Amino acid sequence: MTTLDKLRGAKNIMFVNHHLAMGDAALLSPIFKTVKDNLPDTSISVLTRHYALDFVRAIPSVDDVADIESVMKTSDDNSYRLKIYKLFQLVSFFRRHGCDFIMLRNDRRIPHTKKLRLAGKLSGAGIISISPYLEKHMNKSRHIVETYYSILQDMGFNVREKGKLYISLSPDNKKFAGNYLKGKGIINTADRIIGISPTSNLKVKNWNSKNVAELCENMRGKAKVIVFTTDRNVIEEISELTKVAPVFVGRMEFGDLLGLLSFCDVFVGVDTGPTHVAAALGVPAIGLYGPTSGTIAGPYGKNCLFIQAETDCPVYNPLALFSPLETLQDCYVNDRCLHRDTNCVDAIGAEEVTEKAIWLLNANSSNNNMIPGKN
């Protein structure tokens, strides 16, 4: 009996992804769609962290989302009594949601994994661990979404559609973005726009301000530039290095961010959420990759490509983030490179990025109706 056969008739499948980031959520969207395609009468729920709630809610195939912080009411108290209390909070949560099956990564590197697995069993739900499938199918030569598809097919699922991510963009968010851009001096939204996201939650994945400023200068007269970053130091550095500062977009509501991303004709970003969300919106995207493998985790979809920093790093391991059998690279753990003075992403020059960005702009300039924000 395949996994799909076991799941038939289930009222609710709970996916536990309690360490999701924005990009992770986008890359999982085809998996949720495939499950929904095969089990249309089954409700798909996701348990994640509070930070990711809005990202997951924007995935069309997900019916319900909850955050683990609210469920477990986490605190700094690690007493045995509190741990038992948190365990039964989880059990109660799974029972209240009527979870027939719980899917999770049984990954020793992720906190609370054992507790979540035990709580699922105590609640009476069936447990499906993804880790053995990841160990079997993980391949450094293909994209993680394609690996997910292989896992689903191994489970018996019929994959009906490939090659894209899925995310919902509301008319209100699109309207907000148009007004926002007009307020920032981008009057004609038919103008070509390039978005740049040079920073991530991990500094080791950032692209330095000098390269960003050079790219901005190279795009003058070719496209309006929007830089997406919440790092005030980076904003100041780029402003000082450019003759005409680009439009800077900092922290905002996720739906409004979606609207702004949809207006971009091309998006350039490091390994960070906005890069993957732009790709999910159908925006041609260029990913800049160093410690992470662009082959595995680059922007996914039509007109998406990546540039991988060429380094002789002795600890580079493309499977490190994805396979439960691997040990995380020290640069992820320490959030800095221990083998060179600068980030490996900085080895990617602005000229190479400019060349590819202009190529994508020209390739899509006569097809603006493909870009959501241009409709």
Side-chain angles (χ1 to χ4, degrees):
M1 179 182 292
T2 66
T3 300
L4 177 61
D5 292 330
K6 294 178 182 177
L7 295 174
R8 293 191 191 281
K11 294 182 179 179
N12 189 309
I13 301 174
M14 176 73 71
F15 287 79
V16 177
N17 300 102
H18 58 295
H19 271 255
L20 284 184
M22 188 191 304
D24 299 322
L27 293 174
L28 283 168
S29 62
I31 284 66
F32 296 129
K33 182 182 186 303
T34 297
V35 173
K36 199 71 169 180
D37 286 344
N38 285 259
L39 300 168
D41 297 324
T42 300
S43 177
I44 295 177
S45 302
V46 177
L47 178 62
T48 185
R49 56 177 174 158
H50 183 79
Y51 168 75
L53 288 180
D54 289 340
F55 316 155
V56 180
R57 286 183 180 130
I59 298 173
S61 301
V62 174
D63 299 296
D64 188 32
V65 188
D67 63 292
I68 194 168
E69 293 93 338
S70 295
V71 173
M72 294 179 66
K73 297 180 175 62
T74 55
S75 73
D76 295 331
D77 185 351
N78 287 313
S79 68
Y80 178 76
R81 180 179 296 179
L82 185 61
K83 289 179 180 179
I84 295 298
Y85 175 66
K86 289 179 180 178
L87 173 66
F88 281 96
Q89 281 181 312
L90 283 169
V91 173
S92 176
F93 169 78
F94 290 141
R95 286 178 176 170
R96 285 198 313 273
H97 278 70
C99 298
D100 299 305
F101 289 91
I102 295 172
M103 287 193 176
L104 78 167
R105 282 182 62 167
N106 191 22
D107 192 329
R108 57 182 170 78
R109 305 173 301 176
I110 302 177
H112 306 308
T113 296
K114 289 184 178 179
K115 188 180 298 180
L116 285 158
R117 185 179 179 89
L118 177 58
K121 287 184 176 181
L122 291 174
S123 73
I127 304 295
I128 298 175
S129 175
I130 305 300
S131 290
Y133 292 98
L134 280 170
E135 294 165 9
K136 176 181 177 182
H137 291 278
M138 200 65 225
N139 188 323
K140 65 181 181 181
S141 300
R142 68 181 175 190
H143 201 279
I144 186 63
V145 173
E146 297 297 328
T147 295
Y148 290 152
Y149 282 139
S150 294
I151 290 172
L152 288 170
Q153 289 170 328
D154 194 358
M155 290 179 167
F157 287 87
N158 176 27
V159 179
R160 301 176 187 175
E161 185 179 29
K162 286 186 176 183
K164 61 182 294 187
L165 307 178
Y166 303 90
I167 204 158
S168 297
L169 172 66
S170 76
D172 286 343
N173 295 140
K174 186 174 172 181
K175 181 179 179 180
F176 164 84
N179 292 332
Y180 182 93
L181 292 174
K182 289 178 182 178
K184 292 293 185 178
I186 301 179
I187 305 300
N188 185 357
T189 54
D191 289 341
R192 297 196 294 182
I193 298 172
I194 179 170
I196 305 173
S197 183
T199 57
S200 167
N201 287 334
L202 282 178
K203 294 180 180 179
V204 74
K205 297 192 292 187
N206 291 355
W207 199 39
N208 70 34
S209 298
K210 182 179 179 182
N211 281 326
V212 179
E214 186 176 344
L215 175 60
C216 291
E217 290 296 319
N218 291 344
M219 299 309 299
R220 286 179 63 192
K222 301 177 179 66
K224 304 291 180 66
V225 178
I226 304 175
V227 175
F228 296 81
T229 181
T230 59
D231 191 317
R232 296 300 308 175
N233 291 330
V234 169
I235 292 173
E236 292 175 5
E237 290 169 357
I238 295 172
S239 298
E240 291 176 359
L241 291 168
T242 52
K243 294 180 180 178
V244 179
V247 172
F248 290 101
V249 173
R251 199 173 303 279
M252 61 170 48
E253 294 295 325
F254 180 67
D256 295 336
L257 174 64
L258 285 180
L260 287 173
L261 291 173
S262 75
F263 272 91
C264 296
D265 294 274
V266 170
F267 194 86
V268 176
V270 296
D271 179 22
T272 189
T275 306
H276 297 291
V277 172
L281 289 167
V283 177
I286 303 171
L288 309 181
Y289 282 74
T292 313
S293 166
T295 300
I296 296 177
Y300 183 83
K302 185 178 180 181
N303 293 329
C304 290
L305 54 92
F306 70 90
I307 304 172
Q308 187 80 46
E310 297 293 336
T311 67
D312 55 354
C313 177
V315 298
Y316 174 68
N317 180 359
L319 298 178
L321 286 178
F322 306 96
S323 174
L325 296 177
E326 303 292 332
T327 300
L328 287 176
Q329 295 163 210
D330 56 19
C331 56
Y332 292 128
V333 176
N334 296 284
D335 196 14
R336 65 185 183 91
C337 181
L338 302 181
H339 305 280
R340 52 190 291 151
D341 295 331
T342 60
N343 288 349
C344 52
V345 184
D346 293 335
I348 300 173
E351 286 298 330
E352 181 180 7
V353 180
T354 301
E355 180 183 350
K356 287 180 168 55
I358 291 175
W359 181 82
L360 281 175
L361 279 172
N362 292 336
N364 290 279
S365 61
S366 61
N367 225 357
N368 277 344
N369 62 316
M370 296 176 61
I371 311 300
K374 300 294 181 181
N375 291 340

